[in-house]
Amino acid sequence: MKKWWHDKVAYQIYPKSFCDSNGDGIGDLRGIISKLDYLKKLGVDIIWLSPIYCSPMVDQGYDISDYYNIDSQFGTMEDMDELLREAKARNMYILMDLVVNHCSDKHEWFKKALEDPEGEYADYFYFREGKGNKPPCNWRSYFGGSVWEKVPNTNKYYLHVFAKEQPDLNWENPKLKNEIYKMINWWLEKGLAGFRIDAIINIKKDLRFQDFPADREDGLCSIDRMLESAEGVLDMLKELKEETFEKFGAFTVGEVFNEKEGELYKFIGKDGYFSTMFDFEMEMLGKSEKGWYDNRTFTPNELRTSIFDSQIKTADVGFKANIIENHDEPRGVSNYIPKEDLNDKSKKMLAAISLMLRGIPFIYQGQELGMTNTKINSVEEFDDIATIDQYNVAIKEGCSKEEALEIVNNYSRDNARTPFQWDDIENAGFTTGTPWIKVNKNYKEINAASQVENEDSVFNFYKKLINLRKSEEFKDAVVYGTFESVLENYDNLFAFYREGSSKKLMLLANYQKEEQTIELPKLYSKVLLNNCDEVKHEKDKIILQGYQVIILVV
Ligand code: NOJ
């Protein structure tokens, strides 16, 4: 059955870095409101806001101290209401980030829990006795170190799978669950279209709190071992959906990394817990459990296999949400295109591959301009908590300071968090004050003002891809059509069909700098999109230029 969101295009805003309206160096809601027309022009329908709730910002808002209020650095609830109204007036939908695996240690629940570690609120969290003078078990948190932190003046510890300022909420406690449901419904009643749902697989713990074999010298084990052994998250997700989202027909996109084999349909199938979930297959490629220092590079062929396999796995189940980057990743163009080949042509190729896949496109702010990774010269200049941990891991594993710095430059989440590049004036037009994080030096070459005007820009290429997806003629193929890969015998070639009930399209992308001659299995009638000036032919063969992408009607 067709759903209202199937043919939409979504866009992620990282509010702190998007647009600052009051000159304090921090992006805000009024800044977002002022840019809605820009997003509309691009063709965006659904906007996901990374967290704007009250937060001490230890993990940039993913540590929430009050779910019912807007942090003053982003504005007020009146601004939020205005954003909802202004979005609605433009037929746009707003999603907030739902961060309910954990809250902030400054949330009143946690403060009360610390005040009385035997009382009612301690049971909103996981407070457990230590083993002798050691924590209850040896799990490592995502940001390094033990998941356990001492509850002052007791032999108890509390659990935090992320930073110690992000205590995990106890989803086994019905009182806590009801508080969460109430809060979600409150926001949905206000007019939100739905949520992006943070770290949701983590809400179910393996309550045995047992050790697993240590996998680093710190004597700890990856938290993934716990996730593999925890049973029962599906029941929790079912109840969550029934108590909240379902009642409102809300759109939800899950951040799900570790679903078990064969369970995809439970998440995004016909009666799935979520509308969709992110496809992280390409983000996971080359990543090592040991840390960023151990990540490996990958070839275009490997990238093709990971993307295409995921398309095939999802085909009969539902729709995944396709991304090439987000606020937790380096910039897509820097991650997937070799540095020496990075230019508008290769950026457009990556855009076309991603937007022509079956699924819901989620564009991350600045992706539509081809914004790139930044360069940071000393570890002290990084803001991101994960980056600092990964730098230390690299040093511990024997990297030199220079090597460690290069590694974190490649993978840091701060790459995605530099201010949006609006124009070529000071601070890229993001703020009239001092930006909270340094602007990427390349803002004079890469910015929205010049690209919106330039027909050949990356921005306008995205716009064309979005228009194609929405066009009456080709929507059936691009949104609902089947996916079929072809020509896999060619190296560094991404080729696939998207076939709807009346139209069949083919995408051909030459993922290398050398040209490549292709024998097409079918004749084509029309070129719909091309990132080069022409399509070269040699008899009935096509010669693709380096990084050329074309979309054909076949
Ligand atoms: C995933 C979020 O995307 C990330 O930014 C955050 O650090 C963790 N979850 C913890 O909330």
Side-chain angles (χ1 to χ4, degrees):
M1 206 178 64
K2 289 188 178 171
K3 299 271 172 65
W4 68 265
W5 44 268
H6 280 158
D7 60 353
K8 301 289 180 274
V9 171
Y11 188 94
Q12 180 188 356
I13 290 184
Y14 195 70
K16 197 166 179 182
S17 304
F18 190 60
C19 178
D20 173 20
S21 73
N22 62 356
D24 65 357
I26 292 174
D28 48 44
L29 288 169
R30 305 212 68 81
I32 296 173
I33 295 170
S34 73
K35 299 297 183 186
L36 286 177
D37 288 331
Y38 164 83
L39 297 175
K40 188 74 193 171
K41 185 180 272 173
L42 177 61
V44 169
D45 308 290
I46 298 175
I47 298 172
W48 151 30
L49 304 178
S50 274
I52 48 170
Y53 313 88
C54 295
S55 166
M57 294 277 154
V58 170
D59 186 21
Q60 293 303 353
Y62 286 89
D63 46 322
I64 296 172
S65 54
D66 180 355
Y67 288 97
Y68 289 94
N69 276 302
I70 304 295
D71 197 288
S72 58
Q73 61 183 322
F74 296 123
T76 62
M77 194 58 88
E78 287 69 47
D79 296 333
M80 185 62 195
D81 290 336
E82 188 175 331
L83 174 63
L84 289 171
R85 276 196 308 275
E86 291 292 332
K88 198 167 177 201
R90 292 166 175 80
N91 285 326
M92 295 166 102
Y93 305 83
I94 302 288
L95 311 179
M96 281 174 85
D97 217 308
L98 185 63
V99 189
V100 288
N101 171 69
H102 46 273
C103 61
S104 158
D105 62 343
K106 299 293 178 297
H107 193 288
E108 62 162 357
W109 296 334
F110 193 70
K111 287 201 236 162
K112 286 182 184 161
L114 286 189
E115 269 163 30
D116 181 6
E118 302 299 326
E120 183 187 347
Y121 283 95
D123 203 29
Y124 274 41
F125 300 90
Y126 293 99
F127 278 37
R128 290 291 185 279
E129 290 291 325
K131 278 196 291 198
N133 55 6
K134 282 173 55 194
C137 67
N138 74 339
W139 306 342
R140 183 186 305 107
S141 78
Y142 287 105
F143 297 147
S146 169
V147 296
W148 296 103
E149 184 70 17
K150 208 73 196 277
V151 177
N153 310 317
T154 66
N155 186 35
K156 288 191 173 176
Y157 293 75
Y158 71 85
L159 180 78
H160 61 89
V161 303
F162 292 94
K164 68 178 187 332
E165 295 85 355
Q166 295 169 296
D168 279 56
L169 291 165
N170 178 6
W171 279 71
E172 309 290 335
N173 178 352
K175 276 196 192 153
L176 176 274
K177 281 197 298 188
N178 287 329
E179 288 280 6
I180 300 287
Y181 300 157
K182 193 173 88 188
M183 178 272 291
I184 295 174
N185 292 336
W186 184 84
W187 278 106
L188 290 173
E189 267 155 29
K190 232 178 178 327
L192 280 190
F195 293 96
R196 174 269 186 179
I197 306 176
D198 187 75
I200 194 65
I201 289 298
N202 291 283
I203 62 174
K204 181 70 202 182
K205 319 296 184 216
D206 181 343
L207 298 171
R208 292 171 297 178
F209 296 112
Q210 285 174 345
D211 283 359
F212 291 99
D215 52 28
R216 290 187 201 166
E217 284 194 353
D218 58 8
L220 304 177
C221 73
S222 162
I223 192 74
D224 288 346
R225 297 295 84 74
M226 182 283 277
L227 292 176
E228 285 154 12
S229 73
E231 298 281 344
V233 72
L234 302 182
D235 296 332
M236 284 182 174
L237 297 180
K238 182 164 181 284
E239 184 179 303
L240 168 63
K241 173 191 166 189
E242 287 167 358
E243 295 290 331
T244 61
F245 315 135
E246 193 167 51
K247 300 185 183 172
F248 295 83
F251 172 75
T252 52
V253 48
E255 188 202 28
V256 180
F257 276 101
N258 309 62
E259 91 270 11
K260 292 178 182 158
E261 200 57 40
E263 284 182 348
L264 186 63
Y265 77 97
K266 298 204 171 185
F267 288 85
I268 57 166
K270 193 169 138 282
D271 299 312
Y273 311 129
F274 307 125
S275 312
T276 180
M277 63 193 237
F278 291 110
D279 191 335
F280 286 123
E281 291 302 325
M282 66 190 274
E283 275 63 40
M284 297 313 288
L285 196 59
K287 295 247 168 86
S288 166
E289 222 178 54
K290 293 185 187 163
W292 294 351
Y293 77 92
D294 193 49
N295 287 357
R296 62 173 186 85
T297 53
F298 43 83
T299 63
N301 281 5
E302 287 176 285
L303 184 63
R304 174 176 72 182
T305 305
S306 92
I307 296 175
F308 289 10
D309 282 358
S310 179
Q311 286 279 298
I312 290 160
K313 249 202 252 163
T314 314
D316 297 327
V317 181
F319 289 83
K320 277 201 178 176
N322 298 321
I323 59 166
I324 62 164
E325 62 193 64
N326 64 26
H327 67 293
D328 290 333
E329 297 292 331
R331 286 289 179 175
V333 292
S334 301
N335 204 17
Y336 298 111
I337 298 168
K339 229 190 203 128
E340 59 283 8
D341 297 344
L342 198 51
N343 52 41
D344 281 5
K345 205 198 315 172
S346 53
K347 289 175 182 180
K348 290 174 186 172
M349 180 204 69
L350 192 61
I353 293 173
S354 179
L355 267 76
M356 286 299 289
L357 294 173
R358 188 174 171 283
I360 317 300
F362 268 69
I363 297 169
Y364 179 70
Q365 65 180 44
Q367 178 185 328
E368 76 279 19
L369 307 177
M371 277 179 65
T372 66
N373 278 358
T374 189
K375 173 95 184 90
I376 293 186
N377 295 320
S378 91
V379 64
E380 288 75 33
E381 279 181 47
F382 285 99
D383 166 84
D384 169 35
I385 186 169
T387 304
I388 293 157
D389 173 51
Q390 289 292 338
Y391 178 86
N392 293 330
V393 169
I395 295 282
K396 248 189 221 130
E397 293 299 327
C399 295
S400 69
K401 285 186 178 167
E402 293 69 35
E403 286 164 343
L405 187 62
E406 191 183 332
I407 289 160
V408 293
N409 259 294
N410 287 339
Y411 299 109
S412 176
R413 308 197 293 180
D414 284 346
N415 283 307
R417 300 176 181 188
T418 61
F420 190 98
Q421 292 164 207
W422 290 106
D423 52 38
D424 63 1
I425 62 172
E426 208 185 345
N427 297 323
F430 160 71
T431 180
T432 53
T434 309
W436 72 275
I437 190 169
K438 274 196 188 150
V439 175
N440 192 320
K441 286 208 179 72
N442 61 18
Y443 71 93
K444 292 207 189 250
E445 295 89 63
I446 301 176
N447 62 67
S450 64
Q451 292 203 22
V452 168
E453 296 305 318
N454 173 0
E455 223 3 67
D456 280 337
S457 64
V458 176
F459 175 90
N460 277 309
F461 198 76
Y462 267 93
K463 205 171 143 183
K464 285 175 197 154
L465 284 163
I466 293 172
N467 285 342
L468 177 64
R469 178 182 167 84
K470 293 187 172 179
S471 72
E472 280 312 313
E473 200 177 355
F474 297 108
K475 179 193 231 169
D476 192 51
V478 183
V479 176
Y480 299 102
T482 55
F483 169 92
E484 187 194 342
S485 74
V486 266
L487 302 172
E488 284 190 44
N489 50 325
Y490 290 86
D491 284 329
N492 306 337
L493 180 77
F494 283 50
F496 55 84
Y497 293 125
R498 297 297 317 281
E499 182 168 14
S501 49
S502 62
K503 293 280 185 317
K504 184 166 183 171
L505 304 182
M506 178 183 216
L507 175 137
L508 279 175
N510 183 23
Y511 213 118
Q512 58 179 16
K513 62 173 167 299
E514 299 80 20
E515 59 176 39
Q516 170 156 219
T517 305
I518 312 290
E519 195 164 349
L520 285 188
K522 271 193 170 73
L523 290 176
Y524 70 89
S525 59
K526 198 173 168 188
V527 182
L528 290 180
L529 217 57
N530 183 358
N531 65 345
C532 297
D533 293 337
E534 54 169 350
V535 180
K536 284 200 224 163
H537 288 93
E538 193 184 79
K539 294 196 184 125
D540 50 356
K541 293 186 180 143
I542 283 191
I543 307 169
L544 291 174
Q545 301 172 42
Y547 291 104
Q548 182 166 20
V549 66
I550 49 179
I551 300 172
L552 307 171
V553 183
V554 294

